[in-house]
Amino acid sequence: MDSIYIFIIVGGIAAGFVQGLSGFAFGMTAMSFWAWGMDPVIAASLAVFGALTGQIIAAFTVKRGFDWQLLLPFFVGGAIGIPIGVLLLPLLNMDMFKALLGGILIVWCPSMLFVSRFPKLKPQGPVADGTIGLIGGVMSGFGGFAGIVPTLWCTLQGMAKDKQRVIIQNFNLGALIFTMLAYLYKGIITATMLPYFAVLVPAMLIPSLLGARLYHRISDVAFRRLVLSLLTLSGIALLSSSLPKLLA
């Protein structure tokens, strides 16, 4: 089997389970595997497709609410940010891609590990929510990382788990649909990627369903700590392997 398919399968299994359980983080989890041996444009396309597939699965397996007043600022910001991320994606080379992803993992994962110790923010209003949506949109266009900044934002405000899931899952679903359409329009996704998509779907399907099944049955605190710790280590490794080449 071609090594690229092994990367796709392993990354899809891990990312599918994490997204099914937590409602986000498919792209970040998958990229921690795929960035080692895949072209960044292919990896980003697979991350967006896989994250969107996972969100569609979650729409049928995990009950979610919907609140237009709460979500609209995030959607507006995301709609502005996604085209920016899509335009930036083809400019990346592999080492820059690995360094960027490694930096995101190193900053974001420890932040999520220790966020419960931070002072809680009061709600900041629709302008601030829209700005967070814009950043999430740029990161979605950049490779399906729509949920990273909004998740941290919601957690810093001490939102209840179910309210946070309303924002993150609905924003992710909307942002990923828009990003997928933008990728198709710009020709980033090509016919040569279809076999990769065909391998990814069955690889992530059962893990996604298992993660969603466990969502209501177990506390995910210890699991989240383990996943975030492993992703932090992956980020350190990615950054360590790419920075010397970029600085040479």
Side-chain angles (χ1 to χ4, degrees):
M1 181 183 290
D2 193 324
S3 61
I4 192 171
Y5 290 104
I6 297 174
F7 278 110
I8 291 170
I9 291 169
V10 174
I13 290 171
F17 184 75
V18 171
Q19 178 167 292
L21 181 63
S22 65
F24 65 99
F26 182 96
M28 185 177 59
T29 305
M31 286 291 198
S32 68
F33 294 90
W34 295 344
W36 290 101
M38 294 172 63
D39 178 89
V41 173
I42 295 175
S45 300
L46 283 167
V48 172
F49 175 77
L52 177 57
T53 301
Q55 289 296 337
I56 292 172
I57 292 170
F60 292 99
T61 56
V62 178
K63 183 179 179 181
R64 72 172 85 189
F66 194 91
D67 184 335
W68 265 115
Q69 185 175 2
L70 185 65
L71 289 165
L72 186 59
F74 291 96
F75 284 157
V76 172
I80 296 170
I82 288 169
I84 299 173
V86 172
L87 289 173
L88 291 174
L89 176 62
L91 303 179
L92 281 181
N93 62 37
M94 177 57 77
D95 290 321
M96 182 66 72
F97 175 69
K98 289 167 67 176
L100 180 66
L101 178 61
I104 291 172
L105 291 171
I106 290 170
V107 172
W108 185 80
C109 295
S111 297
M112 293 303 296
L113 278 171
F114 299 109
V115 73
S116 61
R117 302 180 185 180
F118 298 166
K120 296 294 184 292
L121 292 176
K122 295 180 180 179
Q124 301 295 303
V127 174
D129 290 345
T131 302
I132 295 299
L134 187 149
I135 298 171
V138 172
M139 296 181 71
S140 180
F142 216 51
F145 306 127
I148 293 177
V149 173
T151 298
L152 181 58
W153 180 247
C154 293
T155 306
L156 284 171
Q157 294 182 63
M159 288 186 184
K161 182 176 70 171
D162 289 341
K163 182 179 180 181
Q164 185 173 147
R165 193 154 184 139
V166 167
I167 294 174
I168 301 307
Q169 284 201 294
N170 286 299
F171 176 74
N172 279 359
L173 181 59
L176 291 166
I177 289 172
F178 193 179
T179 302
M180 194 71 178
L181 292 173
Y183 278 20
L184 289 168
Y185 176 76
K186 295 288 291 184
I188 292 173
I189 294 176
T190 63
T192 59
M193 296 181 190
L194 295 180
Y196 304 151
F197 293 166
V199 169
L200 178 59
V201 171
M204 64 174 289
L205 181 59
I206 293 177
S208 295
L209 293 173
L210 288 174
R213 194 181 188 91
L214 289 172
Y215 172 67
H216 292 298
R217 297 190 177 187
I218 65 170
S219 169
D220 64 344
V221 173
F223 173 79
R224 184 176 66 172
R225 287 175 180 169
L226 175 62
V227 169
L228 291 173
S229 297
L230 291 174
L231 289 175
T232 301
L233 292 175
S234 179
I236 293 171
L238 286 168
L239 202 58
S240 299
S241 68
S242 58
L243 275 183
K245 297 178 183 178
L246 291 173
L247 297 176

